[in-house]
Amino acid sequence: MSVLDSIKNFLIGEEEGEDYEPLVDEENEAETVDVAQERRNREFKFNTTATVQIVLACPTDYSEVRSIGDDLNNQKTVLLNLEKVKADEAKRIMDFLSGVAYANGATIKMTATKTFVIMPKNVGFSGVDLMSEIENSGYSF
């Protein structure tokens, strides 16, 4: 065996030779199990830690909406405060961000008057549905 063959066998694995024994199904020893299929069926477990990034956005006019949309596209949770924006611009901002949220599968929850949380699809939210509570009390946005 040459040096190149030994390096190749080390990196790729040794070629199937005489000592190769196919895997046998335990229930029916007559049939052999496909080695490639068995490799595809292996389970892998990954230990991951997820971090949630929250961005506080207090726009003063519609020109700032693009950076907020970029944050949503980057799967960040946005806490949106529209208290400093006029009503007509607030409506335009919400229309735009609603479209961005819909495209990303995100959800929008109203947490207080003129304050919203826009969450990516992998972030959950629990609590009272404030939007319906506010609408029942007569407030219209």
Side-chain angles (χ1 to χ4, degrees), residues 12-140:
I12 299 173
E14 293 189 31
E15 295 181 18
E16 297 174 0
E18 295 175 12
D19 59 332
Y20 171 75
E21 294 180 24
L23 298 174
V24 177
D25 190 0
E26 293 175 8
E27 294 176 4
N28 187 358
E29 291 185 2
E31 296 180 22
T32 59
V33 175
D34 184 18
V35 175
Q37 182 66 30
E38 184 174 302
R39 287 182 183 154
R40 284 190 291 265
N41 290 338
R42 289 185 186 161
E43 290 183 26
F44 292 99
K45 295 182 181 179
F46 296 101
N47 292 333
T48 59
T49 56
T51 58
V52 177
Q53 293 181 335
I54 300 175
V55 177
L56 176 60
C58 297
T60 55
D61 60 3
Y62 184 77
S63 65
E64 299 173 37
V65 76
R66 185 177 181 139
S67 64
I68 300 169
D70 290 339
D71 289 332
L72 290 173
N73 285 334
N74 292 325
Q75 301 298 310
K76 295 179 182 176
T77 300
V78 175
L79 182 58
L80 180 65
N81 185 341
L82 296 175
E83 291 177 347
K84 297 180 182 177
V85 181
K86 296 177 184 176
D88 59 334
E89 285 196 11
K91 183 170 176 21
R92 288 182 64 205
I93 290 170
M94 284 306 297
D95 286 344
F96 177 81
L97 294 178
S98 294
V100 174
Y102 176 78
N104 289 305
T107 56
I108 301 175
K109 296 283 186 185
M110 185 174 195
T111 57
T113 306
K114 294 189 177 185
T115 304
F116 301 87
V117 176
I118 308 171
M119 299 161 292
K121 59 185 169 188
N122 62 343
V123 175
F125 185 83
S126 62
V128 178
D129 187 8
L130 190 62
M131 184 67 166
S132 61
E133 199 174 303
I134 290 175
E135 286 177 347
N136 290 340
S137 65
Y139 180 79
S140 177

